Amino acid sequence: MPDQPSAPHCTATLYTAALYLATRYAQSGCPRICRLVAQHFELIANYPDPSLTGGLRETCRRLRADWERIGAEREQLMRKAMISGAPEVAAGPLH
């Protein structure tokens, strides 16, 4: 059976993925990517790595809430743009 990756290694992978997804969101404005960023911050906040401080976990929880809010705002703007027929607003990033 292969060795399991260490908790710090997995935590670093989660950080890396969250940063990558945040960059993709900045380029695309896609609300689905925004939800993935929020999910990654939630995973980090709850990851069983004893090296994660309480402050870091709380920061990740707050970032998750921020990204959820951003995603909801983006979805709402995209729906309004689609209804009004303004595809340029629906297509580009807003944050």
Side-chain angles (χ1 to χ4, degrees):
M1 175 180 230
D3 291 334
Q4 294 294 321
S6 65
H9 174 75
C10 290
T11 306
T13 300
L14 288 170
Y15 288 136
T16 302
L19 293 172
Y20 174 82
L21 289 166
T23 301
R24 295 288 77 80
Y25 174 77
Q27 293 173 337
S28 70
C30 176
R32 286 177 288 188
I33 295 174
C34 195
R35 283 191 301 273
L36 289 172
V37 174
Q39 288 173 1
H40 274 72
F41 280 120
E42 181 71 15
L43 287 170
I44 295 166
N46 295 315
Y47 197 74
D49 180 350
S51 70
L52 294 177
T53 65
L56 183 59
R57 290 180 191 279
E58 181 58 28
T59 298
C60 286
R61 287 185 188 98
R62 289 180 184 185
L63 285 168
R64 179 205 41 85
D66 289 344
W67 278 93
E68 285 179 352
R69 179 187 47 75
I70 291 167
E73 290 171 359
R74 178 66 181 165
E75 285 179 5
Q76 185 178 31
L77 286 170
M78 289 179 73
R79 277 194 296 276
K80 286 180 182 178
M82 293 301 233
I83 291 169
S84 70
E88 66 279 353
V89 173
L94 295 179
H95 292 279

